[in-house]
Amino acid sequence: MGRAYQNRKESMAKTAASKSKVYSKYGRQLYVIAKQGGIDPAGNLALRSMIDAAKRDQVPAHVIEKAIDKAKGGAGEDYSPAVYEGYGPGNCMVMIEALTDNPNRTITEVRNCFTKTKCKIGAPGSVAHMFDHCAIFVFAGDDEDAVLEALLMADVEVTDIESDEGKITVFAPHTESHKAKLALLETYPDLEFEVDEIQYLPQMHTDISGDDVAVMEKFLDMLNDCDDVQNIYHNAQW
C-alpha cells in the first residue's frame, strides 16, 4: 500500500497546479469544512487537519483566515461534494473529487476533459471498486508496534502500518479518520503530522508509455484547470 501511496504523490508532483489555483482550492475546502463543522479548529478536527495541510503546502495565512472568516456568517455559496470516475489513456483508471455549487457546470467541464483527450468518463462505481478509500497519516517515529497497539486499544480499524527512515505511515479506512487521529493525538499529544489526508489509493497500477504519457499529462492539466476539481487520483505509472 505504501508503494501505491508514493506513486500517487509522485504523480501529483508532476501535475502540480499553479500557486493561485492551489490557494483557491484550499480556500474552498476550508470554507466548506468551517461552514459545516464550525470555525474553531479546536472543536473541528477536520478544519484543523485542513489548516495544517494548507500550511504544509505554503498557503499564506491570509488565504486561510479569509476562507474561515467567510464561513462565520453561515451564508454564501452552498458547495456540495461530487466524485467522477472513468478511464484515461492506456485504459488507466481515474477518480476525481470536486466541490461544486453548480453540478451541471462541473460535470460538463469534467466530461470535456475526458472527451477532448479521447478518454471515457464512467458511471458511478465503474472504477471506484479498484481503489481503496483510505485515511493516511505520516509522522516521525520508529516504533510501529506501539502505534498499532494505541490504535487497536482505541478500537480503530487499521488497514496497514509501515515504518521507514524514521517515519511511520498509518493507513485506515476513510471512515476511521477522525477516530484514528484522536487516538494518535491522545497517545502522543505533541505529534505533528507530515501527512493527514483521505485519498483514493489504487489497488493495482497500469503502465502507460509513448503518446499515452503526453495525453495523460494534458488530461491532468485540463482537470487541474477546472476550478471545481479538488483532487485527482489515478493508477497510471510511467
Side-chain angles (χ1 to χ4, degrees):
M1 184 168 284
R3 182 172 176 269
Y5 168 63
Q6 185 60 34
N7 285 344
R8 190 256 159 179
K9 298 298 286 187
E10 290 171 358
S11 295
M12 289 298 291
K14 294 176 186 176
T15 57
S18 67
K19 284 186 178 180
S20 61
K21 289 173 185 170
V22 171
Y23 298 168
S24 174
K25 290 179 180 182
Y26 268 114
R28 185 175 296 194
Q29 292 181 57
L30 287 161
Y31 166 74
V32 169
I33 292 171
K35 187 176 180 181
Q36 291 176 343
I39 63 171
D40 181 6
N44 185 346
L45 205 58
L47 179 60
R48 177 177 165 183
S49 296
M50 189 57 65
I51 290 173
D52 289 344
K55 289 179 178 178
R56 286 194 295 270
D57 279 348
Q58 300 181 330
V59 177
H62 70 86
V63 174
I64 296 172
E65 292 166 2
K66 181 179 178 181
I68 296 173
D69 286 343
K70 186 178 176 183
K72 280 182 179 177
E77 298 92 344
D78 186 15
Y79 293 105
S80 58
V83 178
Y84 308 100
E85 49 194 287
Y87 297 90
N91 213 34
C92 69
M93 293 178 285
V94 184
M95 299 285 297
I96 301 158
E97 290 182 323
L99 283 173
T100 178
D101 58 351
N102 185 331
N104 289 334
R105 178 195 66 228
T106 307
I107 183 60
T108 298
E109 291 179 350
V110 171
R111 184 182 288 114
N112 283 341
C113 295
F114 277 90
T115 56
K116 289 182 179 179
T117 53
K118 297 184 179 179
C119 299
K120 182 180 179 182
I121 194 167
S126 56
V127 302
H129 63 286
M130 295 301 296
F131 288 79
D132 294 318
H133 201 188
C134 293
I136 303 170
F137 302 96
V138 180
F139 48 90
D142 52 24
D143 191 347
E144 60 184 288
D145 291 335
V147 172
L148 180 59
E149 182 179 357
L151 290 167
L152 294 178
M153 288 293 290
D155 197 29
V156 175
E157 182 182 347
V158 179
T159 307
D160 197 5
I161 185 167
E162 301 174 352
S163 177
D164 185 41
E165 296 182 351
K167 295 180 183 179
I168 291 177
T169 303
V170 174
F171 299 89
H174 73 282
T175 51
E176 298 283 277
S177 177
H178 182 79
K179 190 162 64 170
K181 185 168 185 177
L182 279 179
L184 290 169
L185 290 173
E186 286 174 2
T187 306
Y188 308 101
D190 298 324
L191 191 64
E192 293 186 4
F193 295 98
E194 293 184 26
V195 175
D196 171 10
E197 300 177 3
I198 293 177
Q199 301 180 8
Y200 285 95
L201 297 184
Q203 298 169 4
M204 57 179 291
H205 286 88
T206 297
D207 291 321
I208 63 173
S209 60
D211 292 342
D212 285 339
V213 174
V215 175
M216 185 66 177
E217 291 178 342
K218 178 183 178 182
F219 177 52
L220 294 174
D221 286 341
M222 289 177 66
L223 287 169
N224 274 318
D225 282 339
C226 296
D227 289 339
D228 297 338
V229 170
Q230 301 299 306
N231 295 298
I232 308 161
Y233 309 94
H234 59 80
N235 75 334
Q237 59 182 13
W238 61 93

